[in-house]
């Protein structure tokens, strides 16, 4: 079984920064992809950023609304993925979820989510 847990959410003023962490534990043979999703009240869950590994190279994807402000990274030794969020806007307010896949067609393991609120 794989367990995924997010941390680092909180309240921040517009223009501020937060770093989210997502630690994975359990029966993990390898990690193919880790991603961050978010869901704002009354909206559908959306993919924010995703990092995949192929031949020891990491590939990062960002949704348009966060590109240039958010950075996804990973620490393979710790099975942890991070989301550095800068220049935060009120529209970034949401519950942020982390996912992990061990293979390209394997199921995604989800965390419980962490609340990010951007408000003055």
């Amino acid at each position: 079984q794989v367990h995924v847990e997010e941390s680092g959410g909180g309240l921040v003023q517009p223009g501020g920064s937060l770093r989210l962490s997502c630690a994975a534990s359990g029966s993990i043979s390898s990690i193919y992809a880790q991603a961050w999703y978010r869901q704002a009240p009354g909206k559908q869950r959306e993919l924010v950023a995703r990092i995949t590994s192929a031949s020891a190279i990491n590939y990062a994807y960002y949704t348009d609304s966060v590109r240039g402000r958010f950075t996804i990274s990973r620490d393979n030794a710790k099975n942890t993925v991070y989301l550095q969020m800068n220049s935060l806007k009120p529209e970034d307010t949401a519950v942020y979820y982390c996912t992990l896949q061990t293979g390209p067609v394997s199921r995604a393991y989800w965390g419980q989510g962490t609340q990010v609120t951007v408000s003055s």
Side-chain angles (χ1 to χ4, degrees):
Q1 186 69 330
V2 176
H3 180 71
V4 176
E5 185 170 0
E6 306 93 341
S7 61
L11 173 64
V12 64
Q13 292 187 341
S17 298
L18 277 178
R19 189 176 83 153
L20 305 182
S21 299
C22 175
S25 60
S27 302
I28 302 171
S29 56
S30 63
I31 297 177
Y32 168 73
Q34 290 172 285
W36 289 96
Y37 288 77
R38 67 185 179 186
Q39 187 166 20
K43 295 188 177 181
Q44 289 189 332
R45 190 172 296 184
E46 67 169 342
L47 174 64
V48 176
R50 187 171 185 255
I51 186 166
T52 58
S53 297
S55 302
I57 299 175
N58 290 330
Y59 298 91
Y61 162 84
Y62 300 94
T63 193
D64 287 346
S65 61
V66 309
R67 190 174 293 114
R69 300 188 296 122
F70 290 10
T71 302
I72 189 170
S73 62
R74 65 197 297 182
D75 183 332
N76 292 331
K78 297 181 179 179
N79 286 340
T80 298
V81 65
Y82 305 96
L83 186 67
Q84 178 66 43
M85 306 186 294
N86 299 328
S87 302
L88 282 161
K89 304 175 181 180
E91 50 264 43
D92 295 317
T93 295
V95 178
Y96 283 70
Y97 299 90
C98 173
T99 68
L100 179 152
Q101 284 178 277
T102 57
V105 295
S106 67
R107 59 159 290 183
Y109 295 92
W110 289 77
Q112 292 299 306
T114 185
Q115 176 71 47
V116 172
T117 303
V118 184
S119 175
S120 55

